[in-house]
Amino acid sequence: MRAIDIIIKKREKKELTEEEIRFFINGFTAGEIPDYQAAAWAMAVLLNGMTPRETKDLTMVMVESGDILDLSEVAPNAVDKHSSGGVGDKTTLVVEPVVAACGLPVGKMSGRGLNFSGGTLDKMESIPGYRCDLNQDEFLNQLQEIGMVLTGQTADLAPADGELYALRDVTGTVDSIPLIASSIMSKKIAAGAHAIVLDVKIGLGAFMESLDLARELGELMVNIADLAGRKAVALLSDMNQPLGIAVGNALEVKEAIDTLHGNGPQSFWEHCQEVAAHMLIAGGKANDAEEGRELVEKAVQGGQAWERFLDLVSAQEGDVSYLKDPQKLPQAALIKTVNAPRSGFIKQIHARRVGETAVLLGAGREEKGESIDHGVGIEILREVGDRVEEGEPLLNIHAKDEGDFQAAEKALLEAHSWSETPVDPLPQIYEVIH
Ligand code: URA
């Protein structure tokens, strides 16, 4: 077999066999197929696509390139979730303890923020001492003991994906639905859970800007899970405006704490309820979304979900006194309110621009590895569809100094657009794909 023949076959829009995909990916990962051939192949895939069978084979070859966690001994009914990323998305911080409080283990490996999109690990590291670097044994032991883990990637999971993603990142080949689907699913399958809820974001602050593309990605990922013997459900959810009020690490932890006490922003709480309910269905604890939502409500109202969050943080060596007294969490030097410059209905709050402004304030990073400021961020006080009067509070900016405040104020006012006539609120969930 030769790499060039496989590239030409894909260039000619033909379907690759499992052997060809395995030969190519293993050869690339071993350094035997050079980057320029892998880049040509990735571009041919981007332009000509892959069948679901090819995509599933690519996924499984990448899964088999590294460690595969076996949860059957420690938590056979563990569920996992994945969000395709967005602005203000602190859902995991709420749904993981909620689902665990309902009796289902959750073993979750999360990522860091990059560009406009925040990352769960950065949020959790606002809590002093919290460890995101558990090794594989620690992951498995903690999952068995307390039924919850929330950490970075523990092991060498799907290393072929790591290599291929780095190459795609610099060759204009990220935006291919089969490549995105196989990349995400290879890591999820290698992480071991048998039931996975995929929160596929759509809109101005998401990878997928249109419902059609998000649906295609969701369907493909559910299909890959099925072919790989796992159960997955994809929720297509809105990311045109930021999720909830808080954008920025410690601010988002505070919002998650409020939500776990039953006092979170309504739209964010509804989103969490929906995601958690689908995790409960996937894990066999609820028969339908209504029953799932009821269980979720009880776990929060009864205080069990909050207790479970404290258990999770203390198991990973975080200082829970910061959760019990959130004023102790990192805070910005300057906190100022920006009032509405006019009266009207809010037509749009451009999520991507809000995320980019959070990065400008220091809450996120433009390049991998940059350090971040956990205290800074934004509170978006009103939502799309709200009627606002001139001079009413519109947002709070948490900045390190006046210069950053002013730059953020300008960008955030530009991120809002207004209407004289009523505007419908945005939906939370567009579709559920089984
Ligand atoms: N996230 C991933 O893990 N992989 C992709 O290809 C895109 C987003």
Side-chain angles (χ1 to χ4, degrees), residues 82 161 165 168 174 179-180 183-184 187 207:
H82 175 84
D161 171 62
Y165 190 86
R168 288 166 55 209
V174 168
L179 293 180
I180 295 174
S183 168
I184 292 173
K187 288 171 287 209
F207 250 110

Side-chain angles (χ1 to χ4, degrees), residues 306-317:
W306 167 242
E307 289 298 327
R308 300 262 54 207
F309 189 54
L310 295 176
D311 293 343
L312 169 69
V313 170
S314 80
Q316 288 183 221
E317 299 175 31

Side-chain angles (χ1 to χ4, degrees), residues 10-51:
K10 195 34 62 191
R11 190 194 73 194
E12 301 301 318
K13 301 190 172 70
K14 298 201 176 106
E15 186 175 3
L16 301 178
T17 65
E18 199 260 352
E19 289 72 31
E20 286 165 334
I21 293 171
R22 187 174 294 282
F23 171 84
F24 199 91
I25 295 298
N26 288 349
F28 168 61
T29 316
E32 289 153 9
I33 293 178
D35 282 2
Y36 50 81
Q37 284 189 308
W41 175 83
M43 186 58 83
V45 171
L46 179 131
L47 295 173
N48 295 334
M50 276 186 149
T51 63

Side-chain angles (χ1 to χ4, degrees), residues 51 76 87 105 121 192 223 345 363:
T51 63
V87 181
L121 301 184
N223 189 261
F345 295 91

Side-chain angles (χ1 to χ4, degrees), residues 343-398:
S343 298
F345 295 91
I346 300 184
K347 193 161 109 194
Q348 185 180 83
I349 307 173
H350 199 298
R352 180 181 289 249
R353 293 206 209 135
V354 174
E356 285 164 356
T357 309
V359 175
L360 177 154
L361 288 167
R365 46 179 86 75
E366 273 157 19
E367 300 284 338
K368 269 188 196 152
E370 279 175 7
S371 66
I372 57 166
D373 181 340
H374 289 98
V376 297
I378 304 155
E379 288 165 282
I380 302 283
L381 302 175
R382 309 304 297 265
E383 294 185 358
V384 169
D386 283 358
R387 166 83 202 176
V388 183
E389 301 306 324
E390 184 179 343
E392 281 181 356
L394 187 65
L395 31 108
N396 295 327
I397 297 177
H398 298 238

Side-chain angles (χ1 to χ4, degrees), residues 187-259:
K187 288 171 287 209
K188 289 284 126 187
I189 292 169
H194 279 262
I196 307 153
V197 171
L198 300 159
D199 185 5
V200 181
K201 303 290 189 195
I202 308 156
L204 299 166
F207 250 110
M208 299 290 136
E209 290 207 359
S210 81
L211 186 56
D212 285 348
L213 288 176
R215 187 183 295 121
E216 197 181 329
L217 178 65
E219 281 173 355
L220 189 53
M221 291 196 291
V222 168
N223 189 261
I224 292 170
D226 198 35
L227 293 170
R230 311 287 172 106
K231 183 150 88 185
V233 54
L235 311 181
L236 308 187
S237 74
D238 185 73
M239 187 41 76
N240 282 296
Q241 66 182 343
L243 187 56
I245 291 175
V247 180
N249 300 289
L251 288 173
E252 293 191 44
V253 172
K254 286 185 197 154
E255 187 162 287
I257 293 172
D258 289 343
T259 307

